[in-house]
Amino acid sequence: PFNTDYGIASVNEASPASGTSYTATADAITDMAITLPESPSSGDRMELRYRVQDDDNYMVFYARYSGSAWDVRIDKVEGGSATQLLNVTNVGTPDTLRVITDGNRHDAYTKSGTTWTRRNGQINNSFNAALTTIKPVFEVGSVGSLRSYPRTSPAYAELDRR
């Protein structure tokens, strides 16, 4: 699996299409490289949906323009109704959204340049915990790549070999 830079990735899309579903793993490190729009409008969003069941049931980590700054949020969307689980305001201009899931635990990170920033504390939520679908959704800006790595894999044993 290590014959390419992203060999262990369960998803490695260089130019993912908005609204396209990809199969990852439930427990994963998922990165979506983004380019924010130069002149955003209030309410503009770039979403990384994960643990997707359908268009009405999923978890979502997203950047949203408030009218004066970019914020990041995680929502649980159940039956089409969103419940906010994380809200961090004025996060600058991130170029990558990362969500790490492990069982019921969710950790959110953004990257700007070379600096990763953890966004608030860990979320503990079991909604759709076994589902493996991820989906980028964006109508503004662009997504440069979508990559998802399993949190556990038999291939990781290769890294420990001496």
Side-chain angles (χ1 to χ4, degrees), residues 8-152:
I8 196 125
S10 55
V11 174
N12 180 22
E13 289 294 323
S15 298
S18 180
T20 299
S21 295
Y22 301 92
T23 301
T25 57
D27 296 337
I29 301 167
T30 304
D31 293 344
M32 185 171 80
I34 60 175
T35 300
L36 298 170
E38 289 185 26
S39 300
S41 298
S42 184
D44 282 353
R45 294 165 59 134
M46 297 191 73
E47 301 182 0
L48 170 56
R49 295 182 184 184
Y50 63 101
R51 294 187 171 176
V52 176
Q53 177 180 335
D54 55 35
D55 286 341
D56 291 324
N57 297 281
Y58 54 88
M59 298 291 293
V60 60
F61 180 36
Y62 60 99
R64 179 184 174 278
Y65 192 68
S66 67
S68 60
W70 286 96
D71 305 333
V72 291
R73 296 180 176 174
I74 289 183
D75 292 349
K76 173 180 82 169
V77 178
E78 186 171 14
S81 180
T83 301
Q84 189 176 96
L85 303 177
L86 175 129
N87 182 28
V88 182
T89 60
N90 196 15
V91 298
T93 53
D95 56 43
T96 303
L97 301 178
R98 169 178 282 177
V99 64
I100 300 175
T101 52
D102 191 3
N104 297 341
R105 297 180 305 274
H106 309 246
D107 291 292
Y109 296 82
T110 60
K111 183 176 77 67
S112 294
T114 60
T115 304
W116 286 98
T117 304
R118 184 174 183 189
R119 298 301 178 176
N120 283 7
Q122 191 172 71
I123 295 168
N124 191 338
N125 192 292
S126 64
F127 182 67
N128 286 355
L131 298 185
T132 61
T133 300
I134 60 175
K135 180 191 291 190
V137 176
F138 54 98
E139 294 180 6
V140 298
S142 62
V143 173
S145 66
L146 178 66
R147 294 192 175 94
S148 189
Y149 304 90
R151 294 272 291 146
T152 59

